[in-house]
Each structure stands twice: as structure tokens, then as C-alpha cells.
Amino acid sequence: MVVQGAQVVGRVAALLRLVGRKPEGTSLAGLVRESGLTRPTVHRLLASLAAEGFLEHDSSSGKWVLGPEIFLLGSVAAARFPMEDIARPSLRRLATETGESAFFSIRRGNETVCVLREEGSFPVRSFVLHEGVRFPLGVASAGTAILAFLPAEEQEALLAEWAEHAGDFSDGHPADVVRENLEQTRLAGYSVNPGLILEGSWGMGAAVFDQQGRPAWALSLTGIEPRFRPERQEYLGKLLLEEAHRMTARLQGTS
Amino acid sequence: MVVQGAQVVGRVAALLRLVGRKPEGTSLAGLVRESGLTRPTVHRLLASLAAEGFLEHDSSSGKWVLGPEIFLLGSVAAARFPMEDIARPSLRRLATETGESAFFSIRRGNETVCVLREEGSFPVRSFVLHEGVRFPLGVASAGTAILAFLPAEEQEALLAEWAEHAGDFSDGHPADVVRENLEQTRLAGYSVNPGLILEGSWGMGAAVFDQQGRPAWALSLTGIEPRFRPERQEYLGKLLLEEAHRMTARLQGTS
DNA sequence: AGATTTCATCCACATTATGGACAGCATCCA
DNA sequence: TGGATGCTGTCCATAATGTGGATGAAATCT
């Protein structure tokens, strides 16, 4: 998987992903911490990425943010990944129908990345999840919904080295809790995150399947605990599954 | 401008831009030609970019295309560059009103990059311009409209080394023709490209200005020569200027 | 005003990326 | 059928490239 003689490419990619996590930008020190690289190296790579227009350095805040070239390349790439067109209507329906915030996440390797958000009308909202945020598979409702429907051996591979895979999240997500959660998800069809990431901040998710029948994306809803009591879960789950089925059908149909 | 000790970053950036030019993808050999790098180097960089998800290698066609990570980062970056929301309505109006195809391009250094397209109803369409295509400033109607309203010294800097700047386009665009064209553009407010890139394929453009009053974007229309006769140019130019003014006002107002 | 944290830059060193060379496939043509 | 052409993928000795410890300046906190 790893290509010889391209160390920097990996480092650059990691830095771009880290910067992309926070729309408001990240400081040099933060990136040094999160990347594990030395400061001079991070600084040089950031500066050269900025010279290429892939990043920008907000001189007032000193933070680094994604630059115009990323936006431009992204617009071109979006033609091959018409997620916006396909997912947005479902998100709108979910958000207006339930009042919660609705999200569309995409699987990328052993992570999920949140791509789209649609705010609900309910006045208390959680900001744990937003565009660009990444979670390890099995963490958060979207990643649980996806992991639950991956081939058993892939699930086992991740669970076998769970602490390493889940990183900072392994504290709040012990492997046995996750196992139980995946089992529940397979039974119900949808996943429930009972505030495991942030107390009181609940979520539910349902997987969307690609043409090969693999769970590649997920729809999810987030909100506060009182809005996710058991009696309402069934209703929310039904809505999520409905929209997930609709998207899956649409994606099977295309091409 | 160029950062020391970051050769690869520049190379990677150049390759990504080259790949982004053609939505259908580019072959290794093509990228070797266009980048001026050696084949092993290009291959290694492409392979490692693909391992990171920044590119994908279509194994049937053997071509390299932009990958999912670019799409994901692009979605995050799009929040800082809300061009779609602001430009799309103007493009719609231009396309429906005129029947020609309408485009929105953005200035990036000494180039313009086409970001958005809206097809017109007229059944003969040119495909010289599409999302991701880059032209040197002063080439094509969008780049002419922008260049014409840059500070005189910046214009002169480019015209002074025109052959180098315009590259392959310098044949069809001699410096004195461009100078005359810029003059005309300043007089009329809008630019006209009388089939200089491809015979019979005409275009007209108008610049959109940022908060500092600098021409940073452009709206343009393209079509075949009979649709751009002098009597119609005035009408098309008026529409372009109207929409460009509207966008400029909207952009001044925001923030 | 001293302590602490963050940012920017230098430069000797060796790790890392480079590219010439080789190998494997197609396709085309004599 | 053979060999000429054009493409992709890989190896590895070489040196050019990127690295990171160290230093200093600047900003922020106590």
C-alpha cells in the first residue's frame, strides 16, 4: 500500500487532512502535535503548500486553512462524486421532518468523513459533528452503521486491534461495548450512539450501499438525549432507513 | 515565493493541477509530457497520491483521475469559497436568457480556472471551456476581462514576457493583438474573444470584483461566431455587465 | 519583568527522492 | 513472424533533497 520514496506525499496528505478537519483553521503548534512531525518540517510543508495555493495562512489569527486550489480541484472532483445532488434531498427531508440536524458521511478507508450537514429546527444543536470531521469506523452513529454491515472479517480485523484503531476514542468506546452496539445495529438496521463521544449528545445512523452492495456512506441524525428516547428511536430509525434505502436504490440505478 | 526544501510539494501540486484539467483523466505518458518530469518520478508520485486517496487509477483506461480525498477536502474548502451559491443564479439567468453556455471562472495567480458551467439551450455548443480548464490571463474572454482591469503595472509585467506567459497560446495570441483587445475591453467594459483559441468558437466575458475592488472572477458566455455578430454583442455585453455588477455588489455587501 | 508558549529560520548531515536502465505488454506494419 | 514503436511498472546506486536539532525573535501569560 505504501509507495517507496514518497515520504513527503504521505506527510502532505496527512497535514491537509488535519487542516481540513477544522473549518476555522489550525495553528502550527496544533498541527505539530497532531501530526507527530517536528516543527520545522511542518512549517516548511505548510509554507510550501500555501505557496501553491493549497493552504492559506490567516495572518491575523495565525491559523492555517484550506486554500483556493483545494476548492478548485474539489469542484472538478465533485463531478465524479455527485453526492451533493443525491444526498441533499434526503437530508432536507430528514431535518424538516424530525427537527434534528442531519448529516451525510462517506467511508474513507477505516474512517468516516462528514461531508454534508443540514441543520434542523430544534433550537439546541450539537457541534461535535460538522463537515470535514473524521471518526474511526465504529465510532459515532454513521461509522457504526457502516462497520456493522461490512464483511465479518473486516469488522474482526478492526476489533482485534481496537485500541490502536480507535485512538483517543478507545476510552469511551471499549471494544465490548462496540461489539454489542454493532450487533444491535445489525438487528435494528440502524445504529444508535447513546452519547458515547460527548455525554448527552446522541446520534442515530443508517448505512447507504454502493453498487457492489458495500456500505460506503451513511445518513445520520444528532441531537440531545431527551429527543432520542426509546419510543422516538423507532420513528427516527424508520425515517433513516427509508431515506437510506431511497439513496441506495438511486445509486444502484445510476450507471 | 518558492519555499526552500519542498521540491516535491511543488511537483505534487503541479501534477494534481494537470490531472484536474481533464475530468476524463490523463495517462501517465501525458502527465510526463506536460509536467516535464521523468517517468519514474511521475509514476511514483502518482502512485503515492493514489495510495493517499488524492488520485485514483482507473485500471480499465489506465488514466489517472482526482480521488475521493480531493472531493472531501474540496467540500470543506467550499465553505470558505461560497462561489456556487453566489454565481449559480447569474449563470442560470445568462444561459436561459441568451441560449449560450455560461461560465464562471476564478483568478488564480496568472491563470483563470473555470469553476462552474451552465449549458445554454442553443444546440451547437463548444467544449473548449469546461470545469477545471485553465488559461493564462489575457487568453479567452474571462482572462481578458480580468487582465484588462488589473493595475497597469501588473498588465505590463505579463505583456513584457508575453511569449513565456502565454505558452502554447502565444501563436494565436500575439502580444499586440492582446494589447488591442485589452484596450477594447476597458472601453466596452466587457471582453470579446473572436475565436482566437479555436476558429469559430467565440466568447464574451465580464469581470467580477472583490472587496478590495480587484478583478478576481469573471462571468463569460461562449458559442459559435454567428451568434456573436456585432449587433448582438452589445446585447450580450449588457447582460454580462448587469450580472457581473450584481455579483460584485453582492460580494461587496457580504462580510 | 520574568516565565512560558509559539513562530520563524539556519545549516550540517544522512535519509530520501531521483532518474537512467531494464523488463513486460500491447499494437502496428513490413 | 519479427522487430519497431509506444506505453506502463520497477530496481537501485547516487547525490540532491528534505530533515530536525538548535538558536533567536515575538507574542502571551503570570
Side-chain angles (χ1 to χ4, degrees):
Chain A
M1 204 68 198
V2 171
V3 178
Q4 285 282 21
Q7 190 193 52
V8 255
V9 175
R11 294 181 168 189
V12 160
L15 286 174
L16 287 174
R17 274 189 284 259
L18 287 173
V19 173
R21 285 219 246 217
K22 307 203 178 151
E24 76 277 12
T26 319
S27 68
L28 174 62
L31 291 169
V32 169
R33 258 193 307 277
E34 295 174 24
S35 67
L37 302 171
T38 63
R39 202 180 37 261
T41 299
V42 174
H43 185 266
R44 184 165 23 77
L45 293 178
L46 293 178
S48 50
L49 283 169
E52 297 290 342
F54 281 64
L55 293 178
E56 270 180 355
H57 190 205
D58 182 350
S59 48
S60 65
S61 71
K63 304 213 163 179
W64 300 83
V65 289
L66 294 178
E69 283 287 350
I70 292 285
F71 164 68
L72 292 172
L73 291 173
S75 334
V76 178
R80 298 204 327 113
F81 303 92
M83 291 305 135
E84 167 79 27
D85 301 341
I86 296 175
R88 186 62 74 186
S90 291
L91 291 181
R92 287 250 161 76
R93 282 191 294 268
L94 284 170
T96 53
E97 178 78 18
T98 67
E100 315 301 331
S101 292
F103 300 86
F104 180 67
S105 302
I106 191 168
R107 178 188 173 196
R108 191 79 263 292
N110 292 329
E111 294 182 323
T112 55
V113 192
C114 173
V115 200
L116 301 171
R117 166 173 64 174
E118 185 80 28
E119 298 276 328
S121 58
F122 191 73
V124 181
R125 296 174 203 163
S126 162
F127 290 94
V128 176
L129 193 54
H130 55 78
E131 290 97 328
V133 167
R134 291 163 189 256
F135 289 116
L137 281 182
V139 172
S141 56
T144 304
I146 289 175
L147 183 56
F149 294 101
L150 281 175
E153 61 272 19
E154 290 191 45
Q155 296 187 44
E156 272 314 313
L158 287 186
L159 288 164
E161 43 180 30
W162 180 252
E164 194 186 339
H165 166 65
D168 295 344
F169 295 100
S170 58
D171 290 346
H173 298 70
D176 51 339
V177 169
V178 173
R179 270 214 163 77
E180 169 61 22
N181 217 337
L182 291 171
E183 189 57 38
Q184 282 296 327
T185 302
R186 276 187 292 272
L187 286 173
Y190 53 81
S191 65
V192 179
N193 164 23
L196 292 179
I197 297 170
L198 185 69
E199 205 184 333
S201 177
W202 284 46
M204 291 180 59
V208 174
F209 297 82
D210 67 12
Q211 280 154 0
Q212 286 79 49
R214 293 174 59 94
W217 307 280
L219 291 168
S220 58
L221 292 166
T222 70
I224 54 176
E225 189 269 332
R227 309 268 295 171
F228 285 78
R229 293 273 158 72
E231 59 274 15
R232 198 164 181 247
Q233 280 185 19
E234 220 172 301
Y235 159 71
L236 295 175
K238 190 168 148 279
L239 282 180
L240 277 168
L241 286 176
E242 240 173 70
E243 292 297 345
H245 285 331
R246 196 186 295 217
M247 281 194 63
T248 298
R250 172 96 187 269
L251 286 161
Q252 312 282 10
T254 329
S255 145
Chain B
M1 202 68 198
V2 171
V3 179
Q4 286 282 19
Q7 190 193 52
V8 254
V9 175
R11 295 183 167 189
V12 160
L15 286 176
L16 286 174
R17 275 189 283 261
L18 287 173
V19 173
R21 284 219 241 216
K22 307 203 178 151
E24 75 278 11
T26 319
S27 68
L28 173 63
L31 291 167
V32 169
R33 256 191 308 276
E34 295 174 29
S35 68
L37 301 171
T38 62
R39 202 179 51 258
T41 298
V42 173
H43 184 266
R44 184 163 24 77
L45 293 177
L46 293 178
S48 50
L49 284 169
E52 296 290 342
F54 282 64
L55 293 178
E56 271 180 356
H57 189 206
D58 182 349
S59 48
S60 65
S61 72
K63 304 212 163 179
W64 300 81
V65 290
L66 294 178
E69 283 287 351
I70 293 285
F71 164 68
L72 292 172
L73 291 173
S75 336
V76 178
R80 298 204 328 113
F81 302 93
M83 291 305 137
E84 166 79 27
D85 302 341
I86 296 176
R88 185 62 72 185
S90 290
L91 291 182
R92 288 248 162 77
R93 283 191 293 270
L94 283 170
T96 53
E97 179 78 17
T98 68
E100 314 302 329
S101 292
F103 301 86
F104 180 67
S105 302
I106 191 166
R107 180 190 173 196
R108 190 81 262 294
N110 292 330
E111 293 182 322
T112 54
V113 193
C114 173
V115 199
L116 301 171
R117 167 174 62 176
E118 184 81 27
E119 298 276 328
S121 60
F122 191 72
V124 182
R125 296 174 202 163
S126 163
F127 290 94
V128 175
L129 194 53
H130 55 79
E131 291 97 329
V133 168
R134 290 161 189 257
F135 289 116
L137 282 181
V139 172
S141 56
T144 304
I146 289 175
L147 183 57
F149 294 102
L150 280 175
E153 61 271 21
E154 290 190 45
Q155 296 185 45
E156 271 315 312
L158 287 185
L159 288 164
E161 44 180 29
W162 180 254
E164 194 186 339
H165 166 65
D168 296 342
F169 294 99
S170 59
D171 289 347
H173 298 71
D176 51 338
V177 169
V178 174
R179 269 213 163 77
E180 168 62 21
N181 217 337
L182 291 171
E183 191 57 38
Q184 281 297 327
T185 302
R186 276 187 291 272
L187 286 173
Y190 52 82
S191 64
V192 179
N193 163 23
L196 291 178
I197 297 170
L198 184 69
E199 204 184 333
S201 176
W202 284 45
M204 291 179 61
V208 175
F209 297 82
D210 67 14
Q211 279 153 0
Q212 286 78 50
R214 294 173 58 92
W217 308 279
L219 291 167
S220 58
L221 292 166
T222 70
I224 55 175
E225 189 270 330
R227 309 268 295 173
F228 286 78
R229 293 272 159 74
E231 60 274 18
R232 197 164 181 247
Q233 280 184 19
E234 222 173 299
Y235 159 71
L236 294 175
K238 190 168 147 279
L239 283 180
L240 277 168
L241 286 176
E242 240 175 68
E243 294 296 345
H245 286 331
R246 194 185 297 219
M247 281 195 63
T248 297
R250 171 95 186 271
L251 286 160
Q252 312 280 10
T254 331
S255 142

